[in-house]
Amino acid sequence: MSVDAKQVSEYLLNLQDAICNALSSEDGNGFIEDAWQRDAGGGGRTRVLAEGGVFEKAGVNYSMVHGENLPASATAQRPELTGRSFRAMGVSLVIHPRNPYVPTSHANVRFFIAEKPGEAPVWWFGGGFDMTPYYGFDEDCIHWHRTAKTACEPFGAETYPRLKQWCDDYFHLKHRDEPRGIGGLFFDDLNQPDFEQSFALMRSVGDHYILAYLPIVQRRRGIEYGSREREFQLYRRGRYVEFNLVYDRGTLFGLQSGGRTESILMSLPPLAAWHYNYQPAPGTPEARLYERYLQPRNWAEMPTVDSDATPPGAKKDA
């Protein structure tokens, strides 16, 4: 099968629709759409659900940009791309829930192609999904990673462990020496064994995101919470901001390629907080997040656990 960018674009537009429909149905509120055009070439559909019943902010963005020259972020490690025109397309989403017991989640699937007359195109797929809990549940982590493993199974037994480790390595805040969350899947520069198989893996990852996330939302959205949980949620959201502005490749590529700033920064939470030298009190659910959940674990291979309404030691404010 030859490289077919149009087929990829059609899949991505349909994926955006499917994810927005599923999230809107769960929340009870709809997304607003902002269709935009990029002066240098291309455009997209930014969709945001704000101040919903379940999601404080949910952003699901489709973009397809093109240009005659690549930004420095793309050519720095790939000098063979210099002098090539490019097309980059993808769906990127971040869901910030209102209830601190519901984790934040992120997913992205994308395709890149660079072309030059008289030479073969350079292309690859990338993507993945990862989850960032504020209060951890073994049941949720196991479900998330088993669904991720299921997405990878048609592509060989080594695919899930490789993409899981890649995710753990990528979503690591070096300046904090801690992971952003419990991980999931991440891949980039995928063009082997061929276009058909690479495209199939990207589709499988995109199609499994809602299957991984929505059951967790449904289990946790009704748990009562108070000011303590909310304050901790805002503090941990600060880590999300730090990663996206300092390390995230998509953010850097978008800003350096003249992308639409409002859409690029859609991933940031509506509210976040920073506290100097914060340390959770020993024996609290907040401390347990660091001790159990912000540690690398093989969640997919852990035995199934019974559903638990609240984390151990949780106390509610009035």
Side-chain angles (χ1 to χ4, degrees), residues 88-110:
M89 60 190 74
V91 167
S92 181
L93 64 98
V94 178
I95 312 302
H96 294 289
R98 185 176 300 280
N99 190 319
Y101 288 103
V102 180
T104 283
S105 70
H106 159 259
N108 173 272
V109 284
R110 58 193 179 273

PDB file of all heavy atoms in Angstrom, residues 88-110:
ATOM      1  N   ALA A  88       1.773  17.970   8.254  1.00  0.00           N
ATOM      2  CA  ALA A  88       1.653  17.355   9.574  1.00  0.00           C
ATOM      3  C   ALA A  88       0.193  17.413   9.982  1.00  0.00           C
ATOM      4  O   ALA A  88      -0.432  18.480   9.941  1.00  0.00           O
ATOM      5  CB  ALA A  88       2.524  18.092  10.591  1.00  0.00           C
ATOM      6  N   MET A  89      -0.356  16.268  10.367  1.00  0.00           N
ATOM      7  CA  MET A  89      -1.774  16.220  10.743  1.00  0.00           C
ATOM      8  C   MET A  89      -1.941  15.326  11.958  1.00  0.00           C
ATOM      9  O   MET A  89      -1.144  14.408  12.202  1.00  0.00           O
ATOM     10  CB  MET A  89      -2.609  15.685   9.578  1.00  0.00           C
ATOM     11  CG  MET A  89      -2.241  14.285   9.128  1.00  0.00           C
ATOM     12  SD  MET A  89      -3.051  13.790   7.564  1.00  0.00           S
ATOM     13  CE  MET A  89      -2.106  14.764   6.384  1.00  0.00           C
ATOM     14  N   GLY A  90      -2.955  15.623  12.748  1.00  0.00           N
ATOM     15  CA  GLY A  90      -3.170  14.801  13.921  1.00  0.00           C
ATOM     16  C   GLY A  90      -4.396  15.213  14.705  1.00  0.00           C
ATOM     17  O   GLY A  90      -5.003  16.267  14.471  1.00  0.00           O
ATOM     18  N   VAL A  91      -4.756  14.364  15.641  1.00  0.00           N
ATOM     19  CA  VAL A  91      -5.762  14.655  16.657  1.00  0.00           C
ATOM     20  C   VAL A  91      -5.059  14.621  17.998  1.00  0.00           C
ATOM     21  O   VAL A  91      -4.346  13.665  18.310  1.00  0.00           O
ATOM     22  CB  VAL A  91      -6.918  13.634  16.632  1.00  0.00           C
ATOM     23  CG1 VAL A  91      -7.782  13.761  17.889  1.00  0.00           C
ATOM     24  CG2 VAL A  91      -7.778  13.828  15.390  1.00  0.00           C
ATOM     25  N   SER A  92      -5.236  15.687  18.757  1.00  0.00           N
ATOM     26  CA  SER A  92      -4.620  15.785  20.080  1.00  0.00           C
ATOM     27  C   SER A  92      -5.692  16.209  21.074  1.00  0.00           C
ATOM     28  O   SER A  92      -6.496  17.112  20.785  1.00  0.00           O
ATOM     29  CB  SER A  92      -3.476  16.794  20.071  1.00  0.00           C
ATOM     30  OG  SER A  92      -2.856  16.872  21.343  1.00  0.00           O
ATOM     31  N   LEU A  93      -5.711  15.580  22.217  1.00  0.00           N
ATOM     32  CA  LEU A  93      -6.746  15.910  23.203  1.00  0.00           C
ATOM     33  C   LEU A  93      -6.208  15.805  24.614  1.00  0.00           C
ATOM     34  O   LEU A  93      -5.316  15.005  24.910  1.00  0.00           O
ATOM     35  CB  LEU A  93      -7.958  14.987  23.030  1.00  0.00           C
ATOM     36  CG  LEU A  93      -7.737  13.490  23.274  1.00  0.00           C
ATOM     37  CD1 LEU A  93      -8.174  13.097  24.680  1.00  0.00           C
ATOM     38  CD2 LEU A  93      -8.478  12.659  22.243  1.00  0.00           C
ATOM     39  N   VAL A  94      -6.756  16.639  25.471  1.00  0.00           N
ATOM     40  CA  VAL A  94      -6.490  16.584  26.908  1.00  0.00           C
ATOM     41  C   VAL A  94      -7.810  16.821  27.629  1.00  0.00           C
ATOM     42  O   VAL A  94      -8.544  17.759  27.297  1.00  0.00           O
ATOM     43  CB  VAL A  94      -5.445  17.626  27.353  1.00  0.00           C
ATOM     44  CG1 VAL A  94      -5.255  17.553  28.864  1.00  0.00           C
ATOM     45  CG2 VAL A  94      -4.122  17.398  26.652  1.00  0.00           C
ATOM     46  N   ILE A  95      -8.089  15.963  28.604  1.00  0.00           N
ATOM     47  CA  ILE A  95      -9.346  16.045  29.346  1.00  0.00           C
ATOM     48  C   ILE A  95      -9.022  16.332  30.812  1.00  0.00           C
ATOM     49  O   ILE A  95      -8.386  15.522  31.489  1.00  0.00           O
ATOM     50  CB  ILE A  95     -10.148  14.736  29.241  1.00  0.00           C
ATOM     51  CG1 ILE A  95     -10.222  14.262  27.788  1.00  0.00           C
ATOM     52  CG2 ILE A  95     -11.533  14.915  29.860  1.00  0.00           C
ATOM     53  CD1 ILE A  95     -10.834  15.242  26.828  1.00  0.00           C
ATOM     54  N   HIS A  96      -9.475  17.495  31.293  1.00  0.00           N
ATOM     55  CA  HIS A  96      -9.297  17.881  32.690  1.00  0.00           C
ATOM     56  C   HIS A  96     -10.649  17.771  33.397  1.00  0.00           C
ATOM     57  O   HIS A  96     -11.527  18.614  33.206  1.00  0.00           O
ATOM     58  CB  HIS A  96      -8.766  19.314  32.789  1.00  0.00           C
ATOM     59  CG  HIS A  96      -7.385  19.494  32.241  1.00  0.00           C
ATOM     60  ND1 HIS A  96      -6.272  18.981  32.876  1.00  0.00           N
ATOM     61  CD2 HIS A  96      -6.938  20.126  31.120  1.00  0.00           C
ATOM     62  CE1 HIS A  96      -5.192  19.294  32.161  1.00  0.00           C
ATOM     63  NE2 HIS A  96      -5.573  19.983  31.101  1.00  0.00           N
ATOM     64  N   PRO A  97     -10.840  16.746  34.206  1.00  0.00           N
ATOM     65  CA  PRO A  97     -12.130  16.552  34.871  1.00  0.00           C
ATOM     66  C   PRO A  97     -12.318  17.518  36.038  1.00  0.00           C
ATOM     67  O   PRO A  97     -11.350  18.087  36.564  1.00  0.00           O
ATOM     68  CB  PRO A  97     -12.054  15.113  35.368  1.00  0.00           C
ATOM     69  CG  PRO A  97     -10.585  14.889  35.582  1.00  0.00           C
ATOM     70  CD  PRO A  97      -9.888  15.677  34.515  1.00  0.00           C
ATOM     71  N   ARG A  98     -13.542  17.674  36.445  1.00  0.00           N
ATOM     72  CA  ARG A  98     -13.850  18.525  37.589  1.00  0.00           C
ATOM     73  C   ARG A  98     -13.553  17.792  38.902  1.00  0.00           C
ATOM     74  O   ARG A  98     -12.942  18.346  39.811  1.00  0.00           O
ATOM     75  CB  ARG A  98     -15.328  18.936  37.533  1.00  0.00           C
ATOM     76  CG  ARG A  98     -15.744  19.922  38.605  1.00  0.00           C
ATOM     77  CD  ARG A  98     -17.179  20.346  38.424  1.00  0.00           C
ATOM     78  NE  ARG A  98     -17.404  20.988  37.130  1.00  0.00           N
ATOM     79  CZ  ARG A  98     -17.108  22.256  36.882  1.00  0.00           C
ATOM     80  NH1 ARG A  98     -16.567  23.018  37.808  1.00  0.00           N
ATOM     81  NH2 ARG A  98     -17.367  22.771  35.688  1.00  0.00           N
ATOM     82  N   ASN A  99     -13.984  16.552  39.006  1.00  0.00           N
ATOM     83  CA  ASN A  99     -13.814  15.767  40.230  1.00  0.00           C
ATOM     84  C   ASN A  99     -12.365  15.291  40.352  1.00  0.00           C
ATOM     85  O   ASN A  99     -11.844  14.638  39.438  1.00  0.00           O
ATOM     86  CB  ASN A  99     -14.762  14.561  40.193  1.00  0.00           C
ATOM     87  CG  ASN A  99     -14.839  13.820  41.517  1.00  0.00           C
ATOM     88  OD1 ASN A  99     -13.838  13.617  42.192  1.00  0.00           O
ATOM     89  ND2 ASN A  99     -16.038  13.402  41.881  1.00  0.00           N
ATOM     90  N   PRO A 100     -11.680  15.583  41.468  1.00  0.00           N
ATOM     91  CA  PRO A 100     -10.281  15.155  41.609  1.00  0.00           C
ATOM     92  C   PRO A 100     -10.083  13.641  41.599  1.00  0.00           C
ATOM     93  O   PRO A 100      -8.959  13.167  41.393  1.00  0.00           O
ATOM     94  CB  PRO A 100      -9.868  15.742  42.970  1.00  0.00           C
ATOM     95  CG  PRO A 100     -10.834  16.859  43.208  1.00  0.00           C
ATOM     96  CD  PRO A 100     -12.126  16.419  42.599  1.00  0.00           C
ATOM     97  N   TYR A 101     -11.148  12.869  41.831  1.00  0.00           N
ATOM     98  CA  TYR A 101     -11.016  11.415  41.797  1.00  0.00           C
ATOM     99  C   TYR A 101     -11.056  10.853  40.378  1.00  0.00           C
ATOM    100  O   TYR A 101     -10.791   9.673  40.170  1.00  0.00           O
ATOM    101  CB  TYR A 101     -12.098  10.766  42.661  1.00  0.00           C
ATOM    102  CG  TYR A 101     -11.840  10.956  44.138  1.00  0.00           C
ATOM    103  CD1 TYR A 101     -12.552  11.896  44.875  1.00  0.00           C
ATOM    104  CD2 TYR A 101     -10.867  10.207  44.788  1.00  0.00           C
ATOM    105  CE1 TYR A 101     -12.300  12.089  46.225  1.00  0.00           C
ATOM    106  CE2 TYR A 101     -10.606  10.383  46.144  1.00  0.00           C
ATOM    107  CZ  TYR A 101     -11.326  11.331  46.857  1.00  0.00           C
ATOM    108  OH  TYR A 101     -11.063  11.518  48.186  1.00  0.00           O
ATOM    109  N   VAL A 102     -11.390  11.701  39.424  1.00  0.00           N
ATOM    110  CA  VAL A 102     -11.324  11.316  38.016  1.00  0.00           C
ATOM    111  C   VAL A 102      -9.976  11.785  37.469  1.00  0.00           C
ATOM    112  O   VAL A 102      -9.643  12.960  37.594  1.00  0.00           O
ATOM    113  CB  VAL A 102     -12.472  11.938  37.203  1.00  0.00           C
ATOM    114  CG1 VAL A 102     -12.375  11.516  35.742  1.00  0.00           C
ATOM    115  CG2 VAL A 102     -13.829  11.547  37.791  1.00  0.00           C
ATOM    116  N   PRO A 103      -9.200  10.918  36.861  1.00  0.00           N
ATOM    117  CA  PRO A 103      -7.880  11.329  36.373  1.00  0.00           C
ATOM    118  C   PRO A 103      -7.963  12.191  35.115  1.00  0.00           C
ATOM    119  O   PRO A 103      -8.921  12.113  34.343  1.00  0.00           O
ATOM    120  CB  PRO A 103      -7.178  10.001  36.068  1.00  0.00           C
ATOM    121  CG  PRO A 103      -8.294   9.044  35.808  1.00  0.00           C
ATOM    122  CD  PRO A 103      -9.429   9.473  36.676  1.00  0.00           C
ATOM    123  N   THR A 104      -6.955  13.000  34.928  1.00  0.00           N
ATOM    124  CA  THR A 104      -6.756  13.678  33.653  1.00  0.00           C
ATOM    125  C   THR A 104      -6.218  12.659  32.653  1.00  0.00           C
ATOM    126  O   THR A 104      -5.475  11.739  33.016  1.00  0.00           O
ATOM    127  CB  THR A 104      -5.762  14.834  33.837  1.00  0.00           C
ATOM    128  OG1 THR A 104      -6.442  15.921  34.473  1.00  0.00           O
ATOM    129  CG2 THR A 104      -5.195  15.318  32.519  1.00  0.00           C
ATOM    130  N   SER A 105      -6.605  12.820  31.400  1.00  0.00           N
ATOM    131  CA  SER A 105      -6.070  11.929  30.367  1.00  0.00           C
ATOM    132  C   SER A 105      -5.677  12.732  29.137  1.00  0.00           C
ATOM    133  O   SER A 105      -6.188  13.830  28.892  1.00  0.00           O
ATOM    134  CB  SER A 105      -7.081  10.843  29.984  1.00  0.00           C
ATOM    135  OG  SER A 105      -8.181  11.400  29.282  1.00  0.00           O
ATOM    136  N   HIS A 106      -4.764  12.155  28.385  1.00  0.00           N
ATOM    137  CA  HIS A 106      -4.238  12.788  27.174  1.00  0.00           C
ATOM    138  C   HIS A 106      -4.091  11.717  26.104  1.00  0.00           C
ATOM    139  O   HIS A 106      -3.753  10.566  26.401  1.00  0.00           O
ATOM    140  CB  HIS A 106      -2.860  13.407  27.463  1.00  0.00           C
ATOM    141  CG  HIS A 106      -2.032  13.629  26.233  1.00  0.00           C
ATOM    142  ND1 HIS A 106      -1.011  12.762  25.864  1.00  0.00           N
ATOM    143  CD2 HIS A 106      -2.069  14.597  25.287  1.00  0.00           C
ATOM    144  CE1 HIS A 106      -0.450  13.199  24.750  1.00  0.00           C
ATOM    145  NE2 HIS A 106      -1.070  14.306  24.373  1.00  0.00           N
ATOM    146  N   ALA A 107      -4.394  12.087  24.863  1.00  0.00           N
ATOM    147  CA  ALA A 107      -4.160  11.193  23.735  1.00  0.00           C
ATOM    148  C   ALA A 107      -3.760  12.019  22.527  1.00  0.00           C
ATOM    149  O   ALA A 107      -4.134  13.187  22.402  1.00  0.00           O
ATOM    150  CB  ALA A 107      -5.401  10.363  23.413  1.00  0.00           C
ATOM    151  N   ASN A 108      -2.995  11.387  21.656  1.00  0.00           N
ATOM    152  CA  ASN A 108      -2.545  12.063  20.452  1.00  0.00           C
ATOM    153  C   ASN A 108      -2.212  11.005  19.416  1.00  0.00           C
ATOM    154  O   ASN A 108      -1.553  10.011  19.729  1.00  0.00           O
ATOM    155  CB  ASN A 108      -1.311  12.921  20.743  1.00  0.00           C
ATOM    156  CG  ASN A 108      -0.694  13.504  19.494  1.00  0.00           C
ATOM    157  OD1 ASN A 108       0.146  12.891  18.849  1.00  0.00           O
ATOM    158  ND2 ASN A 108      -1.117  14.705  19.152  1.00  0.00           N
ATOM    159  N   VAL A 109      -2.697  11.198  18.191  1.00  0.00           N
ATOM    160  CA  VAL A 109      -2.275  10.366  17.064  1.00  0.00           C
ATOM    161  C   VAL A 109      -1.975  11.316  15.906  1.00  0.00           C
ATOM    162  O   VAL A 109      -2.711  12.278  15.678  1.00  0.00           O
ATOM    163  CB  VAL A 109      -3.335   9.314  16.665  1.00  0.00           C
ATOM    164  CG1 VAL A 109      -3.346   8.163  17.667  1.00  0.00           C
ATOM    165  CG2 VAL A 109      -4.736   9.924  16.570  1.00  0.00           C
ATOM    166  N   ARG A 110      -0.912  11.045  15.183  1.00  0.00           N
ATOM    167  CA  ARG A 110      -0.448  12.023  14.213  1.00  0.00           C
ATOM    168  C   ARG A 110       0.300  11.345  13.059  1.00  0.00           C
ATOM    169  O   ARG A 110       0.781  10.209  13.180  1.00  0.00           O
ATOM    170  CB  ARG A 110       0.466  13.048  14.889  1.00  0.00           C
ATOM    171  CG  ARG A 110       1.681  12.430  15.572  1.00  0.00           C
ATOM    172  CD  ARG A 110       2.393  13.410  16.485  1.00  0.00           C
ATOM    173  NE  ARG A 110       3.523  12.787  17.141  1.00  0.00           N
ATOM    174  CZ  ARG A 110       3.453  12.119  18.285  1.00  0.00           C
ATOM    175  NH1 ARG A 110       2.292  11.987  18.900  1.00  0.00           N
ATOM    176  NH2 ARG A 110       4.536  11.584  18.817  1.00  0.00           N
TER     177      ARG A 110
END
